[in-house]
Amino acid sequence: MSMRAPGKSRHSLPVKSAPGAREQARAEAPRMTERSVIISPPTRAEGRQVWVDGELLGAVHSLSGLTHVLQGAGWQGLDEVDAAESPVIACYGGGPEVWSRND
């Protein structure tokens, strides 16, 4: 049994795909439903900033506020439990129960 490096043929020539194959596969692939959501640490004045896919959507002061902002960003049907337990929502400076520096 012979071991080959990934991307190499039996004759050690690079494996190449047809021109445009990668772009076509990307276009035909189903759209990802998961998005990047970052909740910043709480501040005194603003609460916690909400970033979705690298874009600042605003600041919130509660889990209810977070749910409202995410629903406005297209997360239809999202409730507070979903927002608190979602693995795609990264909370920094405390979990979904922390909304001020005093919590």
Side-chain angles (χ1 to χ4, degrees):
M1 178 192 279
S2 69
M3 300 290 287
R4 283 182 251 149
K8 298 283 184 173
S9 72
R10 186 169 67 176
H11 301 288
S12 298
L13 296 174
V15 176
K16 294 185 179 182
S17 59
R22 179 176 289 167
E23 290 78 14
Q24 182 178 357
R26 285 183 183 157
E28 292 173 357
R31 297 280 179 206
M32 297 212 26
T33 57
E34 289 188 6
R35 299 167 74 181
S36 168
V37 180
I38 306 234
I39 312 301
S40 69
T43 64
R44 286 189 183 155
E46 295 180 353
R48 298 179 80 167
Q49 292 181 336
V50 178
W51 296 80
V52 176
D53 298 332
E55 179 182 347
L56 178 61
L57 296 186
V60 296
H61 298 276
S62 67
L63 188 55
S64 175
L66 173 62
T67 303
H68 180 75
V69 166
L70 292 177
Q71 286 173 345
W75 291 46
Q76 299 305 314
L78 184 80
D79 63 21
E80 290 182 20
V81 173
D82 296 330
E85 296 178 353
S86 175
V88 299
I89 299 175
C91 294
Y92 295 94
E97 70 284 350
V98 177
W99 298 98
S100 73
R101 287 184 152 185
N102 298 327
D103 286 344

